[in-house]
Amino acid sequence: RFNPRQAWTVMGIFISALVLGSLKIIPLPTAMLLGALFVFITRCISPDEAYRQVDWKVLIMIGCMLSLGTAMQYTGTAEFLAERLTSLVGTMNPIWLLTGFFALTVLLTQPMSNQAAAAVVIPIALQTAVQLGLNPRTFAMMIAFAASTSYLTPLEPACLMVYGPGRYRFMDFIRVGGLLTIVVYIITIIMTPLLWPLK
């Protein structure tokens, strides 16, 4: 049932945690954990209610996703894919090379974190750009945008948070996320070379 008094209490705790984390008074994860603790202390929610609301399937999937991303990074799988891409499209038009790096980064950022995917692809892309006499910044920006395009599957933690409660299916993300990825690609492939010229 809706409880106005508790609603204001929770809102105050949430805003306080955000302010503490945003101003870097304490680290953001610590601020959020403190916020959760105060929600329990003020009896806005009980531990039993909190446990009942946890979607354990999503939690397990996040753990598996992080493990898969770490494995891809440490075994060199992601770097191997990036090198194969460079050998395939390295002699083509630079736009195709940018497209290839965009596609690879989008692919890697689904099971891996955004930062890990970018960290794996950027060094190879920059080296390729330098060897071909192209602007490395263009490639870096293209990969930065691609690494943020992680809504093709529900494997991204933010997507997983709505996956269970929203009763979405895996294909929902592919349909909507796929279309959105194409839109982001079109805007990025047009704007990036204009703002950061290839030569």
Side-chain angles (χ1 to χ4, degrees):
R1 293 179 184 176
F2 180 67
N3 187 322
R5 185 184 65 80
Q6 288 183 337
W8 283 107
T9 303
V10 172
M11 194 183 304
I13 291 169
F14 179 67
I15 291 170
S16 300
L18 274 182
V19 169
L20 287 171
S22 301
L23 297 177
K24 297 184 179 178
I25 297 168
I26 55 175
L28 187 59
T30 307
M32 289 299 153
L33 283 172
L34 279 174
L37 177 64
F38 275 104
V39 168
F40 289 131
I41 290 172
T42 55
R43 298 181 182 233
C44 293
I45 188 172
S46 71
D48 288 337
E49 288 171 325
Y51 275 117
R52 280 199 300 271
Q53 294 300 320
V54 173
D55 192 338
W56 296 104
K57 291 184 289 185
V58 170
L59 201 60
I60 291 166
M61 193 184 292
I62 290 173
C64 294
M65 176 200 69
L66 293 172
S67 301
L68 176 62
T70 303
M72 288 180 71
Q73 193 174 355
Y74 280 96
T75 58
T77 305
E79 190 174 345
F80 172 79
L81 290 171
E83 287 172 353
R84 294 285 76 76
L85 171 71
T86 304
S87 65
L88 282 172
V89 297
T91 56
M92 296 183 184
N93 188 300
I95 295 297
W96 285 110
L97 192 57
L98 283 172
T99 299
F101 277 116
F102 183 92
L104 177 64
T105 309
V106 167
L107 178 70
L108 291 178
T109 201
Q110 305 306 317
M112 299 170 70
S113 70
N114 306 50
Q115 296 92 338
V120 167
V121 180
I122 278 183
I124 298 161
L126 297 184
Q127 186 179 359
T128 304
V130 170
Q131 287 176 354
L132 296 175
L134 301 171
N135 184 2
R137 186 171 290 183
T138 314
F139 285 78
M141 295 308 300
M142 193 75 179
I143 290 165
F145 290 123
S148 301
T149 313
S150 53
Y151 28 74
L152 194 57
T153 65
L155 298 177
E156 214 276 335
C159 295
L160 278 171
M161 288 175 68
V162 298
Y163 183 60
R167 297 182 182 178
Y168 293 109
R169 292 174 297 173
F170 199 92
M171 285 303 297
D172 293 333
F173 285 86
I174 293 176
R175 279 196 295 267
V176 178
L179 181 61
L180 192 54
T181 301
I182 292 168
V183 170
V184 170
Y185 162 73
I186 291 169
I187 294 170
T188 307
I189 200 68
I190 293 170
M191 295 303 298
T192 304
L194 288 176
L195 297 172
W196 297 276
L198 279 162
K199 297 281 186 175

